[in-house]
Amino acid sequence: MSQRLRRLMAGICMVAAPVVYVAGLFADPALRAGDAAEGAYGRHPGQVAVSAALLHWSWVLLVPGIVGMIHLVRQRAVVFGHVAGAVALLGIVNFSALMLGDHFYAVLERDLGVERATELGDQAFAAARWGFQVPGFLGLLGVLLLGLALAYGRQAPWWAPPAMVVGMLTGPIWPVGMIGGSLLYLAGAGVIGLRILRMTDEDWAHSGKVAVTA
């Protein structure tokens, strides 16, 4: 794969990931319903399917973006940045797998009612805590630390990594979190993605020697 194609893929995916994430949040019938969320999954399984697919692909799209961030850590905090990047990559793939649970909640609510569906769903997710949820949140910590390594190398602004992670975490909180968190994630990831897209192929190939503030 050419350097240009790698750069374009990393930059485009970095910009696209938060856009798809936000679309997935707003497609979620329970999040959108706010206080009237009870039973929303059972009533709107089609919307759940769209939301879960979008959220799943938002995590998948973030992978090439993170690979691109790791590529830019070439001069300062190299070992730290690469370890953080590995944690980020291993962690966020777990979140994509968890999106499948939304489909089960929708079917359980439809067939068994909200109370029983919640009980069974919570039991299932409790069993998946250490295999999926905890690694996923460690992945978000990895994203933050990788972004800070990128900022330390003057390849991104300092505010971008915290904005990304805070946006991811607060986005599912209705209504202020969905609006504010979505904007933070879009801004944080977007500025890094656009920085990558605006680089020349030579800067990308020798990024460790080109330290400029985004």
Side-chain angles (χ1 to χ4, degrees):
M1 187 184 295
S2 69
Q3 291 287 348
R4 174 172 295 183
L5 185 56
R6 291 174 182 171
R7 177 178 60 82
L8 291 175
M9 181 179 295
I12 291 171
C13 287
M14 201 70 193
V15 173
V19 174
V20 177
Y21 182 78
V22 170
L25 292 180
F26 279 90
D28 187 307
L31 292 178
R32 203 170 58 248
D35 293 336
E38 185 173 312
Y41 274 28
R43 294 192 303 270
H44 307 288
Q47 295 178 32
V48 172
V50 172
S51 172
L54 288 171
L55 291 172
H56 160 73
W57 279 104
S58 75
W59 296 114
V60 173
L61 286 169
L62 192 57
V63 170
I66 289 176
V67 172
M69 291 172 67
I70 295 172
H71 174 80
L72 294 179
V73 182
R74 291 285 193 87
Q75 190 174 33
R76 294 171 146 187
V78 176
V79 174
F80 176 84
H82 280 69
V83 171
V87 172
L89 288 173
L90 292 173
I92 62 167
V93 295
N94 290 276
F95 278 134
S96 70
L98 287 173
M99 298 305 104
L100 189 62
D102 290 355
H103 294 280
F104 290 100
Y105 269 112
V107 173
L108 290 171
E109 284 189 5
R110 184 193 65 196
D111 294 348
L112 301 178
V114 176
E115 184 176 349
R116 183 59 175 157
T118 301
E119 179 184 352
L120 292 174
D122 290 350
Q123 289 178 11
F125 272 98
R129 179 177 297 120
W130 292 102
F132 293 87
Q133 291 173 305
V134 171
F137 283 107
L138 287 176
L140 295 188
L141 176 61
V143 172
L144 174 63
L145 296 178
L146 171 61
L148 292 177
L150 206 65
Y152 182 64
R154 298 178 58 200
Q155 297 288 353
W158 286 100
W159 59 265
M164 283 181 63
V165 176
V166 171
M168 293 176 191
L169 292 173
T170 60
I173 302 174
W174 173 270
V176 177
M178 284 184 70
I179 298 172
S182 297
L183 292 174
L184 284 173
Y185 188 12
L186 288 166
V191 73
I192 296 174
L194 290 175
R195 163 78 178 95
I196 293 173
L197 290 173
R198 288 171 179 167
M199 294 176 74
T200 66
D201 293 338
E202 184 179 358
D203 287 347
W204 170 260
H206 305 286
S207 54
K209 299 178 181 178
V210 182
V212 294
T213 304

